[in-house]
Every structure is written in structure tokens, then in C-alpha cells.
């Protein structure tokens, strides 16, 4: 955590390498309260105020990338799954042939 006004480091936390053995593709909730970390065991929801884990979503799934948009999370785990960010419930799953950790943006259909 960095003080945006002064540029000084306030807190640090250690995040393990991602599910694909590379640095994880992290996402921050729109309200800034949660950091979503993809891992070999799901998506770890980390409280930004304390940098401590508060939940694991999609537990048991190898997740290589995550993107937060509104109240939805889009995760790449061999497919692209849409999750409800609050409950972690899978709302949809779409097959993809994209390489791991390539999830970059989600644009709503017109």
C-alpha cells in the first residue's frame, strides 16, 4: 500500500507466484476495498486495508488471471468464468483457447 500524496510505502504483503508459475494478474475491486489474486487454488480476496486474505473464490480451481468489473469478476481457468464478486457464485462459463493469463479486458455486448 502506497500513500498516493507522499509516495511512501505504508504496508507490504507477499503474494506468491500465480497459478502458471508467473507473477499473478491481479485485479482491484472498483471500490478499492478488495484485491483479487489468482492462484493455483482459486481467487484469493485480500482486504486492501489490512492486506490479509478474507476469502477464496472458485476454490480448488487453477486461476491464471482475474479482472474486476462492477460486481462481477472474470477469471481465466481454462475457460473464462464470470463470478458474482460478493458470493463467488459462478454465473457463466465460456470456453476459450486463449493461453493462460491473457485475460485483459471485458467489454459488455451492445
Amino acid at each position: 500500500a502506497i500513500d498516493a500524496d507522499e509516495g511512501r510505502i505504508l504496508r507490504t504483503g507477499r503474494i506468491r507466484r500465480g497459478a502458471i508459475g508467473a507473477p499473478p494478474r491481479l485485479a482491484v475491486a472498483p471500490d478499492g476495498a478488495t484485491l483479487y489474486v489468482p492462484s493455483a487454488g482459486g481467487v484469493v480476496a485480500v482486504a486492501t486495508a489490512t492486506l490479509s486474505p478474507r476469502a477464496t473464490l472458485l476454490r480448488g480451481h487453477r486461476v491464471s488471471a482475474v479482472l474486476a468489473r462492477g460486481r462481477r469478476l472474470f477469471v481465466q481457468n481454462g475457460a473464462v468464468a464470470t463470478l458474482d464478486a460478493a458470493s463467488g457464485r459462478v454465473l457463466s462459463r465460456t470456453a476459450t483457447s486463449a493461453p493462460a493469463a491473457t485475460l485483459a479486458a471485458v467489454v459488455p455486448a451492445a
Side-chain angles (χ1 to χ4, degrees):
I2 299 172
D3 181 306
D5 295 325
E6 297 179 22
R8 64 185 174 89
I9 296 173
L10 303 174
R11 290 180 302 285
T12 61
R14 180 170 277 272
I15 297 172
R16 294 183 196 175
R17 294 181 74 72
I20 59 169
R25 301 285 299 268
L26 311 174
V28 178
D31 66 4
T34 306
L35 175 68
Y36 297 102
V37 182
S39 77
V43 178
V44 181
V46 176
T48 56
T50 61
L51 297 181
S52 60
R54 71 169 138 216
T56 300
L57 311 176
L58 208 59
R59 187 176 294 277
H61 289 261
R62 190 173 178 84
V63 177
S64 60
V66 62
L67 178 82
R69 184 176 175 99
R71 291 180 286 206
R72 301 285 185 256
L73 295 179
F74 300 90
V75 303
Q76 189 172 4
N77 69 331
V80 175
T82 304
L83 308 181
D84 176 81
S87 69
R89 184 170 61 94
V90 176
L91 303 174
S92 68
R93 185 177 299 276
T94 305
T96 180
S97 60
T102 58
L103 185 64
V106 175
V107 179

